[in-house]
Amino acid sequence: MSVKEKKQIQINIDKAPVEGGMPFDLKLTEEQRANQDLLNSIKGLPEEKLDTRKKIENWLKDESEDY
């Protein structure tokens, strides 16, 4: 990046509060949106701590846990 480009970016950032916004769009990438959608989708799903061998075996045998 050239010095001229850096100065232009700094000027745009400096004047952003005066003009009421940012000199660039604040957007999530497609991957970030997908991750956020996934996190929102799994919120509220029941959690069960599988901390013993017996609990893991029972969970694996339970057909209602097959999604």
Side-chain angles (χ1 to χ4, degrees):
M1 183 179 291
S2 71
V3 174
K4 183 179 179 182
E5 290 171 322
K6 288 180 183 179
K7 286 183 180 182
Q8 183 63 42
I9 290 171
Q10 187 61 50
I11 290 168
N12 287 340
I13 291 173
D14 288 345
K15 71 179 183 178
V18 175
E19 295 179 356
M22 295 302 290
F24 46 84
D25 291 333
L26 299 175
K27 295 181 182 178
L28 296 176
T29 65
E30 188 172 327
E31 182 179 355
Q32 289 169 323
R33 280 194 307 277
N35 286 335
Q36 192 62 47
D37 289 345
L38 176 60
L39 289 173
N40 289 336
S41 296
I42 62 174
K43 278 183 186 173
L45 287 179
E47 295 179 36
E48 183 179 346
K49 190 170 186 177
L50 302 175
D51 55 357
T52 66
R53 182 180 197 92
K54 186 68 177 167
K55 285 182 181 180
I56 293 170
E57 288 173 356
N58 289 339
W59 180 78
L60 289 170
K61 290 177 186 176
D62 186 354
E63 290 185 17
S64 71
E65 297 293 339
D66 295 340
Y67 296 105

